[in-house]
Amino acid sequence: MRISNGKKISVVIPAFNEAANLPRLLEKLTASLAEAGYNFEIIVVNDGSSDLTVTVMDEFHDLDDRIHYINLSRNFGHQNALKAGLDHADGDCVIMMDSDMQHPPELLPHFISKWEEGYEIVYTRRKFSADSGLFKNSTSNLFYSIVNSLSDTKLEPGTADFRLIDRKVADALKQFREIDPFLRGIVKWLGFKQYAIDYMPENRYAGKSKYSIKKMIKLAVQGATSFSIRPLYTAIYLGFTLSGISVLYFPYVMYSYFNGHAIAGWSSLIMTIVFLGGIQLIILGIIGIYVGKVFLQTKLRPNYIVQHTSLKSKVHDTVEF
């Protein structure tokens, strides 16, 4: 099925130490797109890999000029790598997918079919099988619970960075200059006509996942603080809660004082420290996150630095050496 009017598809793939996965993915992807008769380009973004990812990208580009690469100067993170590919892509629609083979290429024709029906964003919701493991399911649910409880932009559980966006959506995303962009939330926030596709992820072909629990927590905090000041209100509620809890400590203080079990002044001092110290540290930490984001944003540093690319397209607000 060839897209009408000769429209072009861009596929953006961020990669960090994925030399073992890229050959299989690119072979499968190019074969599937070529067989369907699509006019396409594939852009692999090397996010500061330390393995042979650069070599693999260069070899595939020499074999097929529809496969391009962007080599970033260092590791800027998954979201910024996606942004780099998005800024360089010039297709009528842009498909974003990971390089670990967990995003099945077989879904791309379905994406394109919905796009041709008029949907401007076709996104995916990851489903977990019974053998995925309790830990994986629970941490995923916890991630979306945290983001949705602290943010004004609601994400459906399992929403992934595996999506298709129309050119007008891609152009809108190019205008964003946020430090630490949270693309799942931004795409949801943009609006447009959206369609969700549920999918079951494939097993990772090689290597280990780069998303640790620490990175997931960081991404959740990043998502919550990027779209809402609700955490600041939460800090106020937390302050009142801690104040109420500290009142429960008062009977013990009085009991210790009148029964001679406490050194004079100790009870009141400890209660005051616990009461005020806990509240201040938590609230200051939350405020500090927002102040830090403002501080970084005012520096106007680029989201990424392109060291080298095989693309010749004009890209604004990027640096290439």
Side-chain angles (χ1 to χ4, degrees), residues 223-252:
T225 55
S226 294
F227 290 93
S228 175
I229 59 172
R230 188 174 296 177
L232 295 175
Y233 288 100
T234 303
I236 296 175
Y237 301 145
L238 182 60
F240 280 114
T241 302
L242 290 176
S243 298
I245 294 175
S246 68
V247 172
L248 300 178
Y249 189 61
F250 184 73
Y252 171 73

Side-chain angles (χ1 to χ4, degrees), residues 70-91:
I70 301 172
N71 189 33
L72 302 185
S73 62
R74 64 170 178 83
N75 180 259
F76 287 90
H78 180 267
Q79 299 294 288
N80 285 321
L82 275 176
K83 183 70 166 57
L86 176 66
D87 290 342
H88 285 73
D90 63 359

Side-chain angles (χ1 to χ4, degrees), residues 91-110:
D92 295 284
C93 72
V94 181
I95 297 174
M96 308 178 201
M97 63 187 302
D98 289 345
S99 55
D100 56 8
M101 294 296 295
Q102 289 191 304
H103 292 166
E106 293 80 12
L107 278 180
L108 268 60
H110 192 20

Side-chain angles (χ1 to χ4, degrees), residues 16-67:
F16 176 62
N17 292 336
E18 298 290 359
N21 287 313
L22 279 175
R24 182 177 177 86
L25 173 62
L26 293 175
E27 288 172 1
K28 193 172 183 179
L29 194 58
T30 53
S32 176
L33 292 172
E35 182 179 354
Y38 296 143
N39 177 26
F40 68 91
E41 67 173 359
I42 299 174
I43 303 173
V44 181
V45 183
N46 173 38
D47 190 23
S49 300
S50 58
D51 63 357
L52 297 177
T53 296
V54 177
T55 303
V56 172
M57 294 190 310
D58 193 48
E59 291 175 351
F60 271 85
H61 174 64
D62 290 340
L63 294 173
D64 191 337
D65 60 7
R66 296 171 297 184
I67 300 176

Side-chain angles (χ1 to χ4, degrees), residues 13-297:
I13 306 172
F16 176 62
N17 292 336
E18 298 290 359
N21 287 313
L22 279 175
R24 182 177 177 86
L25 173 62
L26 293 175
E27 288 172 1
K28 193 172 183 179
L29 194 58
T30 53
S32 176
L33 292 172
E35 182 179 354
Y38 296 143
N39 177 26
F40 68 91
E41 67 173 359
I42 299 174
I43 303 173
V44 181
V45 183
N46 173 38
D47 190 23
S49 300
S50 58
D51 63 357
L52 297 177
T53 296
V54 177
T55 303
V56 172
M57 294 190 310
D58 193 48
E59 291 175 351
F60 271 85
H61 174 64
D62 290 340
L63 294 173
D64 191 337
D65 60 7
R66 296 171 297 184
I67 300 176
H68 297 279
Y69 61 84
I70 301 172
N71 189 33
L72 302 185
S73 62
R74 64 170 178 83
N75 180 259
F76 287 90
H78 180 267
Q79 299 294 288
N80 285 321
L82 275 176
K83 183 70 166 57
L86 176 66
D87 290 342
H88 285 73
D90 63 359
D92 295 284
C93 72
V94 181
I95 297 174
M96 308 178 201
M97 63 187 302
D98 289 345
S99 55
D100 56 8
M101 294 296 295
Q102 289 191 304
H103 292 166
E106 293 80 12
L107 278 180
L108 268 60
H110 192 20
F111 284 5
I112 298 168
S113 174
K114 290 299 177 183
W115 173 56
E116 291 190 305
E117 288 179 17
Y119 291 99
E120 293 150 322
I121 298 174
V122 182
Y123 66 98
T124 57
R125 293 178 301 208
R126 178 172 180 161
K127 299 298 181 182
F128 293 99
S129 60
D131 58 352
S132 297
L134 178 62
F135 180 76
K136 182 67 176 178
N137 293 340
S138 59
T139 54
S140 177
N141 291 332
L142 178 62
F143 171 82
Y144 288 101
S145 296
I146 293 174
V147 172
N148 289 334
S149 62
L150 296 177
S151 173
D152 294 328
T153 300
K154 306 301 180 184
L155 295 178
E156 299 168 62
T159 303
D161 286 318
F162 186 26
R163 67 175 72 88
L164 176 149
I165 60 174
D166 185 77
R167 168 45 52 190
K168 64 173 69 73
V169 181
D171 289 339
L173 284 173
K174 283 185 177 183
Q175 300 176 31
F176 282 74
R177 294 294 181 266
E178 295 185 10
I179 298 296
D180 293 329
F182 183 60
L183 292 179
R184 297 180 202 182
I186 293 175
V187 170
K188 189 69 175 180
W189 177 87
L190 282 173
F192 293 101
K193 189 177 181 181
Q194 304 195 15
Y195 185 87
I197 296 177
D198 294 327
Y199 81 103
M200 192 71 69
E202 303 286 348
N203 292 326
R204 185 179 177 85
Y205 179 68
K208 297 181 179 180
S209 174
K210 308 302 187 300
Y211 262 99
S212 61
I213 297 297
K214 181 179 179 181
K215 288 185 177 181
M216 289 295 290
I217 294 174
K218 181 181 179 182
L219 187 62
V221 173
Q222 178 181 325
T225 55
S226 294
F227 290 93
S228 175
I229 59 172
R230 188 174 296 177
L232 295 175
Y233 288 100
T234 303
I236 296 175
Y237 301 145
L238 182 60
F240 280 114
T241 302
L242 290 176
S243 298
I245 294 175
S246 68
V247 172
L248 300 178
Y249 189 61
F250 184 73
Y252 171 73
V253 172
M254 297 304 295
Y255 174 81
S256 300
Y257 178 77
F258 286 109
N259 286 275
H261 298 310
I263 301 174
W266 175 85
S267 300
S268 59
L269 178 62
I270 291 299
M271 186 174 67
T272 303
I273 292 175
V274 171
F275 174 64
L276 296 178
I279 295 177
Q280 290 176 349
L281 288 174
I282 293 173
I283 295 179
L284 284 174
I286 294 174
I287 295 174
I289 292 175
Y290 283 93
V291 172
K293 292 173 79 71
V294 172
F295 170 73
L296 293 175
Q297 192 69 43

